[in-house]
Amino acid sequence: MKKTKKRSRLWAAARNILLSILAVFVLWFIFSNVMTVFEQKKYPPIGKLVSVDGKNMHIYTKGEGDNTIVLLSGLGTSAPALDFEPLINEMSKNNKVVVAEPLGYGWSDITSKERTVKNIVEELRMALKKANIQGPYILMPHSISGIYSMYFANTYPEEVKAIIGIDPTLPQALDYFGEKSPAMPKYLSLLAPAGIARLALYINPENFLPLADDGIYSEGNLKMTKAISSWKGYNKTIVAEANEIKDNISKTADMNFPSNMPILIFARKEEKETKDGKSNVSFYKTQLTDSPASKIVILQGHHYLHWTRYKKVSKEVNEFTKSFSKN
């Protein structure tokens, strides 16, 4: 009898603990979603929204000049228009700079449409045209957007003046290094709507913010970045994009940049090489074209080189555009 009562008390205690945890989760879920609604009103888009296939895409522009530079973000960069801010401010002194936030990012809508390279590029083209931003463009991809830029430049070469890559992922890299394409568990798409992304931000916000010195990003920028990271996190559109990488690479692996197109690539300085002497720089050399303006600039820094090396990047971009404009 005593053992039965003891087991009953233990079961009751365990049940109460589980119910308490569930109650806390439900309350946090409600709180997080209420905060999302509040923040979306508090932080409206800094650019303009254009309709693409029934969804809103966010386009931010700054500056004027003979060149229109279109910045393209890396995979999972929650708020590209904010992430590129220091680089935008520098480059817009001499150029028209555009950030087209893809569907699933920043202030753009989430979509269920397949994240094929074709769909992503067509959405980008349509958004630019809807925003009355005329080409030819200088595409400036960071990371995974290198694949989209390769497709864009091959499919619509008359719309692309040049390519400037920020440590870009290019289609032939996996084969060059003998690596496999990454994937992302689908359950990650639940983090933002469940409020887990917001909780992670409260616990360790540094993981969601640029690794830059104080003052490079304004307080307003960082507050908006944290808010948008809470709404978007790794939403279903971004997860779908990650899991489409393998197919997108296979569709572009046989492509090269047009032979006369100027190519500038910012590469990270790395000490490590593979056993057969391969490195990011040696790979990028295989991607340069016959244009006399094409070159690689090696910089010390993080994969997100624009977080800290934005002044150097901007200076090199200005010299690069002048060199092929003269030619």
Side-chain angles (χ1 to χ4, degrees):
M1 182 67 73
K2 288 182 179 180
K3 288 183 179 181
T4 301
K5 288 182 178 180
K6 187 176 182 180
R7 281 198 294 267
S8 296
R9 285 196 298 270
L10 289 172
W11 165 246
R15 180 194 60 197
N16 290 339
I17 291 171
L18 290 173
L19 289 174
S20 297
I21 293 172
L22 180 61
V24 169
F25 176 79
V26 170
L27 289 172
W28 180 260
F29 172 81
I30 294 170
F31 168 77
S32 180
N33 282 274
V34 169
M35 284 298 295
T36 294
V37 173
F38 169 76
E39 289 166 346
Q40 287 174 342
K41 292 179 179 178
K42 183 178 180 180
Y43 303 123
I46 60 175
K48 61 192 274 188
L49 298 176
V50 295
S51 179
V52 175
D53 288 339
K55 298 290 185 179
N56 284 324
M57 273 187 70
H58 180 238
I59 305 293
Y60 177 71
T61 63
K62 186 173 183 178
E64 294 294 336
D66 295 333
N67 296 306
T68 299
I69 300 176
V70 180
L71 285 162
L72 305 173
S73 61
L75 179 69
T77 302
S78 296
L82 300 175
D83 185 76
F84 283 124
E85 183 185 67
L87 183 58
I88 294 169
N89 291 341
E90 285 294 319
M91 293 200 305
S92 62
K93 294 174 183 177
N94 299 288
N95 307 280
K96 182 173 185 178
V97 183
V98 181
V99 181
E101 293 190 322
L103 294 177
Y105 291 80
W107 283 278
S108 295
D109 289 343
I110 291 172
T111 183
S112 297
K113 191 172 182 178
E114 288 183 317
R115 295 295 82 203
T116 63
V117 63
K118 179 180 179 180
N119 286 345
I120 290 171
V121 168
E122 293 302 332
E123 288 162 2
L124 169 62
R125 292 179 67 239
M126 191 181 301
L128 292 172
K129 289 177 181 178
K130 288 283 189 75
N132 294 316
I133 299 170
Q134 305 301 319
Y137 313 108
I138 296 177
L139 300 181
M140 194 166 182
H142 171 237
S143 196
I144 198 67
S145 289
I147 293 171
Y148 313 142
S149 295
M150 178 68 78
Y151 181 90
F152 198 135
N154 275 267
T155 310
Y156 306 103
E158 70 284 356
E159 297 181 20
V160 181
K161 186 188 294 187
I163 301 288
I164 303 172
I166 304 174
D167 204 20
T169 300
L170 296 172
Q172 297 173 1
L174 291 183
D175 184 60
Y176 183 83
F177 291 107
E179 297 175 349
K180 294 182 179 180
S181 59
M184 194 175 287
K186 291 185 177 180
Y187 68 77
L188 288 179
S189 63
L190 301 175
L191 296 184
I196 298 173
R198 185 179 297 279
L199 180 61
L201 265 162
Y202 281 143
I203 294 172
N204 196 358
E206 288 75 18
N207 286 345
F208 296 82
L209 298 174
L211 299 175
D213 292 337
D214 291 345
I216 290 178
Y217 286 85
S218 67
E219 284 299 316
N221 176 301
L222 297 177
K223 286 179 181 179
M224 287 190 286
T225 297
K226 287 192 283 187
I228 294 174
S229 297
S230 296
W231 317 336
K232 291 291 172 70
Y234 285 94
N235 63 70
K236 67 177 184 180
T237 304
I238 293 174
V239 172
E241 181 185 0
N243 293 324
E244 196 72 36
I245 290 175
K246 182 178 180 179
D247 285 343
N248 285 339
I249 287 177
S250 68
K251 291 170 183 173
T252 53
D254 293 332
M255 294 180 178
N256 294 293
F257 291 120
S259 61
N260 62 340
M261 185 173 289
I263 306 295
L264 169 61
I265 297 177
F266 292 101
R268 281 178 295 157
K269 183 177 182 180
E270 291 185 321
E271 304 299 332
K272 293 182 180 179
E273 293 182 349
T274 62
K275 291 181 180 179
D276 52 357
K278 293 179 179 179
S279 66
N280 278 343
V281 173
S282 69
F283 167 69
Y284 286 141
K285 287 179 179 178
T286 69
Q287 302 296 303
L288 295 181
T289 63
D290 296 331
S291 168
S294 294
K295 65 177 181 177
I296 296 169
V297 174
I298 302 172
L299 298 176
Q300 187 79 46
H302 190 273
H303 174 52
Y304 284 69
L305 287 167
H306 53 276
W307 284 352
T308 55
R309 305 308 306 274
Y310 57 94
K311 289 185 178 180
K312 176 65 173 175
V313 169
S314 181
K315 180 182 177 182
E316 291 286 348
V317 166
N318 288 334
E319 293 177 0
F320 171 66
T321 55
K322 286 177 183 177
S323 69
F324 70 74
S325 295
K326 290 177 182 178
N327 294 329

